[in-house]
Each structure stands twice: as structure tokens, then as C-alpha cells.
Amino acid sequence: MKAIITAFIFLLLVPPAVFSAQVGSPAPPFSLKDLKGNTVNLSGFEGKVVFLDFWAPWCIPCKEELPALEGLYRIYNREGFEIIAVAVESSEKSVSRFLQRIAVSYPVVLDNNGAVSEAYRCSHMPTGYIIGREGILRYIHKGFGKDSLPIYEKEIVELLKQH
């Protein structure tokens, strides 16, 4: 019982930003494996504008979003824009099958235990987090629709101009 009370008091005293991503706070660091077994660390993208995209092969809007993001990646990658697609609630096999139909050239990583999606409070597919060059979370977008891409592009271009 004492441990439960101590944990409860700790949760009350520590601000929620310590546990998860919020606009204006540092993006929670992570290290995940891609489909080839290579480790991808968010810290490896320091100084870049990063679109962190949480998605799943079963997600219908993700089938539109991933290729749309590929277009932005091809346009702005040389200017310091990166995308990391984080596959959630999915097996390596289902992600591989999905990517055979919808190919992307940016890194795709697997959040097998859900720890990264939990740190980012990701509860909706897809959800995109735009992180500025300084590692601060600047925008959060839940879902994807026909009006999403121009909004993403405007925010990305704005952040790319900041040095």
C-alpha cells in the first residue's frame, strides 16, 4: 500500500510533460529497429525538421498519407526535412507486405512494444508529430484527409526557414 501511495504522490508532483510529448516540449527520445534490423534513433536527426508519423497497415487513411508524405520528403529532404514512419500494433510481416504495395524512401521503424507511441500519447491512426530543428515538438496532427497535406507543407516550410 505504501508503494501505491508513493507512486500516486510522485505522479501528482511530476509534470505530465516528463511522461509524454506535448507541443512546446522536447520530443521524447527513442531508439527503434527498422525492417532490416538497423537501429534508428531520433537523436540521429538532430538539426533536422522531422515528421514523426505513427501509422498501421490496417489504417485506411494511412494508405493515402504515406505516399503523400513521400512527395513532401522528395521535395524538402535536401533542405533538412526527414520523416520517420513508426508502425504501431503491427507485425514485421504485415508492415513489409504493406510497403510492397506502397513504397516509401524514408525510414520505417517498428514500435513492437508500444512504448514510443505511449510516450507520444498516440491514440489515433495516423498521427503526425512535427519536430523543429532544435528537437522541440511544434505540431500534432491526428488523422489524415484531403486538406492535411497543405497544412503539413506550410508548417514544414516555416520550420525549415528557422536555423
Side-chain angles (χ1 to χ4, degrees):
M1 184 70 170
K2 185 177 179 182
I4 293 171
I5 293 170
T6 304
F8 182 72
I9 291 169
F10 179 76
L11 288 173
L12 289 175
L13 296 176
V14 178
V18 170
F19 298 109
S20 62
Q22 296 180 33
V23 170
S25 68
F30 65 84
S31 179
L32 294 171
K33 299 278 185 190
D34 67 13
L35 294 172
K36 296 175 185 168
N38 300 315
T39 300
V40 176
N41 296 301
L42 181 59
S43 62
F45 295 85
E46 192 173 314
K48 308 275 187 168
V49 172
V50 177
F51 191 103
L52 188 59
D53 185 46
F54 288 85
W55 69 283
W58 49 261
C59 162
I60 293 170
C62 298
K63 293 175 183 177
E64 292 179 38
E65 185 192 39
L66 266 67
L69 290 175
E70 176 70 19
L72 288 177
Y73 182 73
R74 290 176 187 247
I75 294 168
Y76 297 107
N77 178 250
R78 290 190 195 114
E79 295 178 41
F81 175 60
E82 295 288 344
I83 297 172
I84 305 170
V86 181
V88 179
E89 300 175 14
S90 306
S91 69
E92 186 175 330
K93 186 177 181 180
S94 67
V95 172
S96 293
R97 270 198 313 263
F98 182 92
L99 294 174
Q100 287 173 352
R101 293 187 310 272
I102 299 175
V104 297
S105 57
Y106 48 82
V108 176
V109 296
L110 303 168
D111 186 17
N112 291 331
N113 64 7
V116 177
S117 59
E118 188 176 313
Y120 279 82
R121 287 187 181 169
C122 180
S123 61
H124 189 87
M125 294 294 148
T127 298
Y129 298 82
I130 302 178
I131 303 165
R133 293 182 187 272
E134 72 294 340
I136 302 296
L137 180 59
R138 295 295 175 196
Y139 302 99
I140 300 174
H141 297 283
K142 294 180 186 238
F144 181 80
K146 62 181 178 144
D147 298 333
S148 300
L149 203 59
I151 294 167
Y152 297 171
E153 186 169 22
K154 178 182 175 283
E155 293 167 353
I156 291 162
V157 168
E158 174 187 302
L159 291 171
L160 287 171
K161 290 178 181 175
Q162 299 173 7
H163 288 280

